[in-house]
Amino acid sequence: TTAPTRTITITKPDGTKQTITQKVTFTRTATFDEVTGEITYSAWQTQGKPQWAAYTPAAIPGYTVDAVASENVTADTPNKRVEISYMANAQSVTIKFVDDDSGTQVGPDIVKAGKTDQVIADLGLQVPEHYQLAAGQELPTSYTFTAAKDQLITIHLVEKQISIDPTDPKTNPDPQDPDWFKDHGLVKEIMRTIIDELPGGTKTLTQ
């Protein structure tokens, strides 16, 4: 009896291993001549197909793995080892900022690329100027890619409201424009002109 064996080792995405053993058993008979001592053997036979069957590992979403093809064997075929691993598929995630006040998108899409189960430790996101996060909304700092298609992160914003005090220059929305308060109706100048008719001549005072 002889049994050529193929051992398939599959490494899964989490690092665990699975072993599949494929064996084809061959047998033969023999005739012994008691006078001459000669032994005559029959041909090797097997009850099933003389081949290692094709093997396809279980599908795991977001990963690609190669199948193992069938292979014909004989009684003289040596044992064989095959190692295969799951490969993470390319993925992407689209990040959108949305103004909840108007329902419109703020700024262009931000697209990050990676592979299934890969972690981006720092997304590097910043709240757009003149906006703040909507109530209950947090700015994500990291992301783990999944196996899903069209991965999307939507960040909700509201228009930023600030208190303006025309007596405090620090609250000027446009520090480069010192007349901003006046131009936007927060400061009104009232002029009064006083003319004194004096013996020595007219004197004008503007307040």
Side-chain angles (χ1 to χ4, degrees):
T1 300
T2 184
T5 301
R6 181 169 72 174
T7 303
I8 303 172
T9 302
I10 306 105
T11 302
K12 298 184 177 181
D14 62 2
T16 60
K17 294 182 182 294
Q18 178 185 5
T19 300
I20 303 296
T21 301
Q22 297 177 320
K23 184 181 295 185
V24 179
T25 301
F26 292 87
T27 59
R28 65 181 178 179
T29 60
T31 301
F32 177 70
D33 188 319
E34 294 184 351
V35 175
T36 63
E38 182 179 357
I39 301 175
T40 303
Y41 295 96
S42 68
W44 289 104
Q45 302 289 331
T46 180
Q47 292 184 349
K49 289 184 177 181
Q51 68 175 206
W52 292 318
Y55 177 78
T56 301
I60 297 179
Y63 288 85
T64 300
V65 65
D66 292 331
V68 181
S70 62
E71 188 174 348
N72 293 329
V73 297
T74 68
D76 297 323
T77 300
N79 294 337
K80 187 175 183 179
R81 301 186 67 86
V82 178
E83 296 190 1
I84 55 177
S85 300
Y86 287 82
M87 302 298 293
N89 295 340
Q91 304 290 354
S92 66
V93 60
T94 301
I95 304 168
K96 297 177 182 288
F97 288 97
V98 174
D99 183 342
D100 282 358
D101 295 319
S102 64
T104 58
Q105 182 171 330
V106 179
D109 289 347
I110 300 172
V111 179
K112 302 287 186 178
K115 295 183 177 181
T116 304
D117 290 331
Q118 178 185 346
V119 177
I120 298 180
D122 184 7
L123 289 171
L125 300 177
Q126 292 184 339
V127 175
E129 190 176 6
H130 307 308
Y131 285 90
Q132 63 188 21
L133 295 173
Q137 177 72 68
E138 294 184 357
L139 189 66
T141 57
S142 63
Y143 183 75
T144 301
F145 289 97
T146 69
K149 294 182 179 179
D150 302 323
Q151 297 174 50
L152 175 66
I153 299 174
T154 300
I155 302 171
H156 295 273
L157 306 172
V158 293
E159 296 171 5
K160 193 173 184 180
Q161 305 291 328
I162 61 174
S163 296
I164 300 174
D165 180 357
T167 65
D168 184 358
K170 294 181 180 179
T171 65
N172 185 347
D174 185 3
Q176 303 301 318
D177 182 6
D179 293 328
W180 192 94
F181 295 128
K182 182 175 64 175
D183 293 343
H184 290 79
L186 296 176
V187 174
K188 180 178 289 187
E189 292 184 352
I190 300 176
M191 305 294 291
R192 181 174 70 171
T193 301
I194 303 172
I195 301 175
D196 286 341
E197 297 292 343
L198 302 175
T202 301
K203 181 179 182 181
T204 301
L205 175 64
T206 300
Q207 294 179 322

